[in-house]
């Protein structure tokens, strides 16, 4: 079961198949897909969101292996603006994207904070590991700020080709230490 979560500005409701229509309108943009895994088809088919959610994401949620939260602004709850996902699988545990009109407002930093808390406190998994294209500056800055540690480098296939990749990681112990530090010092 994916719970409903919220942050100061965002509502995170569990994914429904009906969300695919809105995703299809904002997701297929080169700036969004270029650093995503090469499994994302490009050019993006007209039924890409629908088939991915119907055939892959919703069955994985059903099996308890993934959690997908479409992001909505509290002041416009009818509009999907992006997605954040947790995956209980070897090698990659979190992914996210945001529609272009909403970039640069630190919205994804907010979403990451609440779903990472869910990963450690509710799903009770001991490590969160994320491979990241080294060229993906915005995404790397989110990790740097939230004290994920850089644990290694390799190469992986993205929509834009094979790229140098950094492996970032945070353990439950590190996450709790950071949360307690912030709680103490603001
Ligand atoms: C990664 C992504 C979700 C960031 O969302 P966002 O809400 O705009 O990010 P934030 O506003 O929280 O910004 C995070 C940091 O990156 C910086 N940043 C944002 N866009 C940037 C850009 N294009 N170039 C350089 N830095 C950038 C911000 O200044 C911020 O750093 P700061 O807090 O130190 O100032 C968004 O860029 C995106 O959807 N990218 C495409 C999908 C993707 O690559 N996902 C990650 C792979 S799983």
């Amino acid at each position: 079961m994916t719970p409903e979560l919220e942050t100061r500005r965002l509502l995170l409701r569990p994914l429904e198949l009906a969300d695919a229509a809105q995703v299809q309108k904002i997701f297929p943009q080169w700036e969004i897909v270029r650093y995503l895994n090469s499994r994302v088809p490009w050019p993006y088919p007209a039924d890409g969101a629908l088939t991915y959610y119907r055939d892959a994401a919703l069955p994985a949620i059903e099996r308890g292996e993934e959690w997908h939260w479409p992001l909505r602004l509290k002041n416009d709850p009818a509009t999907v603006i992006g997605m954040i996902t947790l995956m209980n699988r070897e090698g990659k545990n979190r992914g996210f994207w945001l529609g272009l009109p909403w970039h640069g407002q630190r919205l994804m930093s907010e979403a990451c904070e609440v779903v990472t808390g869910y990963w450690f406190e509710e799903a009770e998994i001991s490590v969160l590991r994320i491979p990241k294209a080294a060229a993906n500056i915005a995404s790397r800055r989110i990790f740097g700020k939230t004290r994920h540690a850089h644990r290694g480098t390799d190469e992986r296939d993205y929509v834009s080709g094979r790229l140098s990749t950094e492996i970032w990681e945070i353990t439950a112990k590190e996450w709790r230490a950071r949360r307690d530090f912030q709680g103490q010092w603001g």
Side-chain angles (χ1 to χ4, degrees), residues 9 27 29-37 71 81-83 87 92 94-100 102-112 130-133 135-143 145 158:
R9 291 176 292 174
F27 174 75
Q29 298 285 337
W30 181 245
E31 292 85 345
I32 294 178
V33 302
R34 62 186 164 165
Y35 297 130
L36 300 186
N37 188 286
L71 304 176
I81 66 165
M83 191 74 62
M87 295 150 277
K92 172 156 185 176
R94 196 183 65 202
F96 47 65
W97 62 269
L98 200 57
L100 296 181
W102 300 280
H103 279 202
Q105 302 170 44
R106 303 211 170 122
L107 287 167
M108 199 52 83
S109 303
E110 237 176 86
C112 281
I130 308 134
K132 185 79 27 196
N136 195 349
I137 294 166
S139 186
R140 287 171 70 209
R141 284 183 74 95
I142 292 178
F143 288 14
K145 274 190 312 190
Y158 297 88

Side-chain angles (χ1 to χ4, degrees), residues 31-167:
E31 292 85 345
I32 294 178
V33 302
R34 62 186 164 165
Y35 297 130
L36 300 186
N37 188 286
S38 60
R39 280 194 301 267
V40 174
W42 192 258
Y44 201 65
D47 62 350
L50 180 75
T51 54
Y52 170 61
Y53 294 142
R54 186 191 62 204
D55 301 340
L58 288 166
I61 292 168
E62 195 69 27
R63 294 193 301 272
E65 295 168 2
E66 297 184 7
W67 298 259
H68 294 247
W69 287 274
L71 304 176
R72 295 173 162 87
L73 289 168
K74 281 182 173 169
N75 63 16
D76 182 14
T79 305
V80 173
I81 66 165
M83 191 74 62
I84 190 161
T85 303
L86 293 173
M87 295 150 277
N88 191 5
R89 84 161 85 105
E90 188 65 29
K92 172 156 185 176
N93 302 133
R94 196 183 65 202
F96 47 65
W97 62 269
L98 200 57
L100 296 181
W102 300 280
H103 279 202
Q105 302 170 44
R106 303 211 170 122
L107 287 167
M108 199 52 83
S109 303
E110 237 176 86
C112 281
E113 196 61 27
V114 70
V115 304
T116 305
Y118 176 78
W119 180 259
F120 289 127
E121 300 302 339
E122 306 298 328
E124 295 185 335
I125 303 170
S126 60
V127 65
L128 182 82
R129 190 170 291 127
I130 308 134
K132 185 79 27 196
N136 195 349
I137 294 166
S139 186
R140 287 171 70 209
R141 284 183 74 95
I142 292 178
F143 288 14
K145 274 190 312 190
T146 48
R147 300 204 184 179
H148 294 58
H150 181 196
R151 305 264 204 245
T153 307
D154 65 14
E155 290 207 325
R156 306 229 174 158
D157 293 316
Y158 297 88
V159 175
S160 57
R162 199 164 181 79
L163 294 174
S164 170
T165 297
E166 297 173 346
I167 315 298

